[in-house]
Amino acid sequence: MTRNWGLPAKRENAAFRKARSARPIATLSISALFGVIGAAIAAISFNEARAVIEHVFHGRSLIFAVLAAGFGCWAYVWIARPRFAAHFNNVGDAFSDLLKFYARAALALVALLAAAKLASLIASDIVSVLILCVSGGAAAAAAFQTVLAFVPAYEPSESA
């Protein structure tokens, strides 16, 4: 039986316990995989949009494509805000929570891409391109989110 003699716990022990639940190598691996999935879906979405309307990224139509992609990007950031906040608040998630989040997000991105591709059968080309741009923006935000795994968390200095 260990005794607490009123001495503060070592900070290294807390870091090792956190590393055991965080599984840094596995976290890095699934983050990289999710980033590749997000980047691939973004590339597919924007390429499909260009295939539907050839000059969609030129002239006035570029404004609508950028607005749709921006909406998709910020919608993803809003939906995934607890995950973003966990990184910036130095809280982090356990590996299993992160894996569940990435799995749900990947399925949602694939479903959004599928809905965008099906929209071309139901709606006009313009609507299809707008939904493809929303899908591309959301996927680009998801790919960017994985970059945060490589950025050290903020730790305020004790001298301030």
Side-chain angles (χ1 to χ4, degrees):
M1 178 173 145
T2 59
R3 296 185 186 263
N4 182 358
W5 299 101
L7 300 174
K10 292 183 180 178
R11 293 183 63 94
E12 295 85 28
N13 290 342
F16 284 125
R17 281 194 300 272
K18 185 176 178 184
R20 262 189 245 125
S21 69
R23 298 186 184 158
I25 302 298
T27 298
L28 184 63
S29 299
I30 64 164
S31 294
L33 178 65
F34 183 68
V36 168
I37 291 170
I41 291 175
I44 291 168
S45 296
F46 291 129
N47 195 33
E48 288 288 324
R50 188 178 40 197
V52 173
I53 298 177
E54 187 175 333
H55 297 290
V56 72
F57 298 118
H58 299 288
R60 288 183 291 166
S61 61
L62 176 64
I63 296 169
F64 297 108
V66 168
L67 289 175
F71 173 77
C73 176
W74 285 108
Y76 178 84
V77 169
W78 177 255
I79 292 168
R81 72 187 179 284
R83 180 70 205 118
F84 282 98
H87 179 77
F88 290 118
N89 292 333
N90 202 12
V91 175
D93 288 332
F95 173 73
S96 60
D97 295 335
L98 189 62
L99 183 62
K100 288 177 200 172
F101 171 79
Y102 282 156
R104 286 192 309 258
L107 288 175
L109 290 173
V110 168
L112 183 58
L113 177 62
K117 288 178 113 5
L118 288 174
S120 65
L121 301 174
I122 300 169
S124 67
D125 287 347
I126 295 171
V127 172
S128 174
V129 166
L130 289 177
I131 296 172
L132 282 165
C133 288
V134 168
S135 172
F144 169 74
Q145 178 188 13
T146 61
V147 173
L148 293 176
F150 302 102
V151 177
Y154 172 74
E155 293 184 26
S157 63
E158 294 179 17
S159 63

